[in-house]
Amino acid sequence: MKRNTVSLNPLDTLRLKLAERRGTPAASPSRAARANAGHPAARRRRQPYLARLVNQWWTRLLQSVYKGSLSEQEEEYESHSASRDYVWNTIGTTVWGMSLPILSIIATQLAGTEQAGMFSLAFSTGMLLMYAANYGVRNFQVSDIDETHAFTSYQINRWSSAAAALVLGILYCTVRDYQPYMATICAGVYLFKLVDGIADVYEGRLQQADKLYLAGISQTLRSGAVFLIFTLFLLVTHNIAVASVAMGVAAVASLVLVTIPLALLETEKSRRWRMEEVVDLFRQCFPLFAALFLFNLIETMPKLVMEGSLPYENQIYFNALYFPSQSIQIIIGFIYKPQLVRLANIWSNPRKRRRFDLIILAMVAVIVGVTAAVGILMATVGIPFTSFMYGVDFEQFRFLCYLMVIAGGVIAAIDFLYAIVTVLRRQGSVMRLYLLAFVAVTALSLVLVNLIGLTGAVVSYLASMAFLLVLLVLEYLNIRRAIRKERNPFSS
C-alpha cells in the first residue's frame, strides 16, 4: 500500500522516501504535516493557490533530484496547445520586451536621469552580449524538426558561446576604462542578459517539443523576478549598482530553479552529445550569429556614439523614443514566431510553396497595419503618457517619435525576413548585407550625432535600417529565384 505523501511538505516527503529505501523507520514528520495528513481538503483550503503551486513544483524538483535525473522523469504538461502557446508566448515576449523601458522608468524615477542613463547604456551593451550568447541558434533549433543535432549538443554550444560573451563583456568594460560604479552596473546587467541567452536554448527545447507556452511561462517568471528584485533594492538603497547586481542574482536563481528543470522534465531525454554536432552548430549558425549580432550592433551604434558625445541622460531619451518601435517588434514577433515550425513544414513540401508566399505577404500587410496603429496611438495619447511615466517633457521630441515608429515597422520587417531566410537555410547569403548596413550606421552616427545630437542619432538609426531592409528584400528575391532555378534549371 502506497504511503500518502501528497499533503506533506517537500522535506518530509524526501525524508520518507529515504527511510523506505534504507528499510528503517522514518523520522516523524513535522507537527503541521501530521496534523494535515488526514485532511488534505482542509489544507488546500487554507493554502493560497500560488503557495500550493510553488510547493508542488518544489516537491517535484526535489523528488527528481533524489531519483538522480531530471530528464528521465514523467512529463506532466500537455503539448499541442495552440491557444496556450499564443497566450503565454505573448505574455512572456511582452514582459521580456518591456524590461528595458520598465526598468528605465523605475531607474529614472528613483535615481534620476543621469544614473538611469548609465543603466540604460549598460543594458544596451548587455543585449549585444545576449545575442552573442544566443549565437543565432534559436530559429535553427526550433526548425530542426528531425533533430539532426542532439539537445545536449545544443546545450554545450550555448554554454560555450555564453562563456565567450562573458569574456567579451569584460574586455569591453576594460577598453572603455569604466570606473567601479559603472563597471558594477555593467556586471549585474550583463549577468542578467547572459542568463537570458542561456535560458533561450532551454526555452527553445520546449518550443521544439511543441510546449511553447511553458517557454513563455519561464520567460515571464524570470522577467517578473528581475523587475521585482531590481525595484525593491533600488527603492531601499537608491543605488543603481546594488540593484543591478541583485537583478543578476535573481536571474541566475530563476534559471537554476525553473528554466533548466522545466525543460529537462517536460521534454524527452536527449541522446548523448557529439563534438562534431557542437562544431557543426558553430559552423552552420555562424552566418546567423554574425547577421544577428551585426544587426543589433547596428541598433546600438547610435547609443555607443552618444556615450562619447552627449550626456548620459540622452540615453534615456533615446530609449523612451525607442519603446513604440520595440512594441511593434514584440507584436509582430508573437504573431509569427509560434508559426516557425509550421512554416518549416510548409516549405518542406514543394506543393505548398505558393501558400508559403501568401503567408509572407500577409505578414507584410500585418506589419504595415500594426505600424500605422502604433503611430496613431503615439500621436494621440502616447507622447503625453511617456512624459508622465518618465517625468520628462517628450513633446519636444514628437517628430523624433514618429521617425522611431517608422523605424519600428522597418525593423519588424527585417526581423521577419531574417527568420524566413533561416527557414530556407540560406542564412549565409545575408551577412554581407549586415556588414554594409553596419558601415552605413557607423558613418552616419559619427557625423550626425556630433552635428545635431539626439536628432542625429534617431535619423542615422532610421536611415541605416531602411537601407538594410531594401538590401534584404532584394536578397530574398534572389534566393527565391535561385531555389526555383535549382528545381527547374530551364526556368527563366
Side-chain angles (χ1 to χ4, degrees):
M1 187 176 196
K2 286 188 178 180
R3 187 188 300 269
N4 181 12
T5 60
V6 173
S7 59
L8 302 181
N9 64 49
L11 291 178
D12 287 334
T13 302
L14 202 57
R15 196 180 293 120
L16 286 170
K17 288 183 175 294
L18 285 169
E20 289 174 353
R21 188 171 185 179
R22 293 169 183 160
T24 58
S28 296
S30 63
R31 182 179 300 176
R34 290 199 307 271
N36 290 293
H39 305 281
R43 178 175 173 83
R44 281 195 296 270
R45 280 196 301 270
R46 286 198 299 271
Q47 192 176 43
Y49 173 76
L50 183 59
R52 188 165 69 249
L53 192 65
V54 171
N55 186 61
Q56 290 171 352
W57 174 252
W58 186 237
T59 300
R60 187 183 180 196
L61 198 58
L62 286 176
Q63 289 176 345
S64 301
V65 171
Y66 163 75
K67 292 177 181 178
S69 174
L70 293 170
S71 55
E72 292 181 353
Q73 307 309 310
E74 185 177 350
E75 298 174 21
E76 293 187 3
Y77 300 108
E78 65 178 346
S79 57
H80 312 296
S81 180
S83 58
R84 287 185 184 181
D85 284 348
Y86 270 106
V87 169
W88 278 109
N89 182 64
T90 300
I91 294 172
T93 303
T94 302
V95 174
W96 178 85
M98 292 280 288
S99 58
L100 178 55
I102 289 178
L103 293 172
S104 296
I105 289 170
I106 294 169
T108 303
Q109 294 288 354
L110 296 179
T113 56
E114 187 71 13
Q115 287 194 63
M118 297 169 72
F119 173 80
S120 178
L121 181 62
F123 202 101
S124 297
T125 52
M127 288 291 291
L128 283 174
L129 296 181
M130 184 199 74
Y131 286 113
N134 285 352
Y135 202 76
V137 173
R138 175 65 178 265
N139 289 342
F140 187 94
Q141 179 187 8
V142 300
S143 59
D144 184 9
I145 53 180
D146 296 323
E147 294 198 36
T148 57
H149 297 75
F151 177 53
T152 48
S153 298
Y154 280 107
Q155 289 180 76
I156 292 172
N157 170 272
R158 184 59 55 90
W159 283 94
S160 301
S161 59
L166 175 61
V167 173
L168 185 63
I170 294 171
L171 288 175
Y172 176 79
C173 291
T174 303
V175 170
R176 297 295 297 185
D177 194 25
Y178 284 143
Q179 297 302 306
Y181 190 76
M182 182 62 177
T184 304
I185 294 174
C186 288
V189 173
Y190 291 177
L191 182 59
F192 165 42
K193 299 317 295 179
L194 287 174
V195 166
D196 262 350
I198 294 169
D200 179 75
V201 77
Y202 295 97
E203 290 162 357
R205 176 62 169 174
L206 290 166
Q207 182 178 2
Q208 193 180 28
D210 208 3
K211 295 182 178 181
L212 181 61
Y213 70 97
L214 293 180
I217 291 172
S218 167
Q219 195 174 45
T220 302
L221 288 174
R222 183 172 62 258
S223 300
V226 163
F227 293 157
L228 179 62
I229 295 300
F230 181 84
T231 303
L232 287 176
F233 273 79
L234 190 57
L235 190 62
V236 171
T237 67
H238 292 280
N239 188 304
I240 292 284
V242 172
S244 298
V245 172
M247 175 178 68
V249 173
V252 172
S254 72
L255 177 70
V256 173
L257 296 177
V258 178
T259 306
I260 294 178
L262 188 62
L264 297 181
L265 286 168
E266 289 299 324
T267 60
E268 292 183 4
K269 183 178 180 180
S270 173
R271 55 184 167 82
R272 291 180 63 83
W273 69 282
R274 298 168 58 189
M275 179 57 71
E276 54 265 36
E277 289 181 355
V278 176
V279 173
D280 188 58
L281 284 173
F282 277 114
R283 181 184 60 81
Q284 286 211 52
C285 293
F286 176 76
L288 293 170
F289 155 69
L292 192 57
F293 185 79
L294 279 172
F295 173 69
N296 285 277
L297 188 58
I298 291 166
E299 281 200 306
T300 310
M301 184 54 66
K303 304 176 191 177
L304 298 179
V305 174
M306 282 196 299
E307 184 183 19
S309 307
L310 303 173
Y312 274 116
E313 61 188 25
N314 286 274
Q315 300 286 340
I316 283 294
Y317 302 152
F318 188 95
N319 282 331
L321 293 169
Y322 176 73
F323 172 64
S325 167
Q326 188 179 35
S327 65
I328 295 171
Q329 299 169 53
I330 292 171
I331 293 169
I332 299 304
F334 76 67
I335 291 174
Y336 85 80
K337 285 182 179 178
Q339 298 298 324
L340 282 178
V341 176
R342 179 168 169 258
L343 282 170
N345 286 320
I346 292 173
W347 177 255
S348 65
N349 186 346
R351 296 181 179 180
K352 296 183 178 179
R353 297 290 166 84
R354 184 173 295 277
R355 184 180 176 187
F356 186 86
D357 292 336
L358 289 175
I359 292 174
I360 292 177
L361 291 175
M363 276 304 309
V364 171
V366 170
I367 291 170
V368 173
V370 170
T371 303
V374 172
I376 294 170
L377 183 66
M378 293 305 298
T380 52
V381 299
I383 293 176
F385 180 74
T386 303
S387 299
F388 170 75
M389 293 300 294
Y390 281 89
V392 176
D393 181 17
F394 277 89
E395 188 64 38
Q396 58 184 317
F397 303 128
R398 178 173 287 272
F399 177 67
L400 298 184
C401 181
Y402 296 154
L403 294 183
M404 274 294 198
V405 169
I406 296 172
V410 172
I411 296 166
I414 291 172
D415 190 50
F416 175 65
L417 278 178
Y418 167 80
I420 293 301
V421 169
T422 303
V423 170
L424 302 184
R425 293 296 189 258
R426 298 299 177 104
Q427 55 268 22
S429 61
V430 301
M431 187 169 64
R432 57 188 175 83
L433 308 182
Y434 286 84
L435 280 170
L436 290 172
F438 173 68
V439 172
V441 72
T442 302
L444 285 171
S445 297
L446 288 171
V447 173
L448 295 179
V449 169
N450 285 286
L451 281 177
I452 50 178
L454 181 62
T455 302
V458 175
V459 171
S460 61
Y461 179 71
L462 172 59
S464 58
M465 289 301 172
F467 176 58
L468 177 58
L469 178 60
V470 171
L471 293 177
L472 198 56
V473 169
L474 293 175
E475 187 62 29
Y476 173 73
L477 295 175
N478 288 333
I479 290 171
R480 289 304 304 271
R481 278 195 292 267
I483 292 173
R484 194 179 303 116
K485 195 163 187 177
E486 288 172 5
R487 292 182 60 205
N488 183 8
F490 301 102
S491 63
S492 56

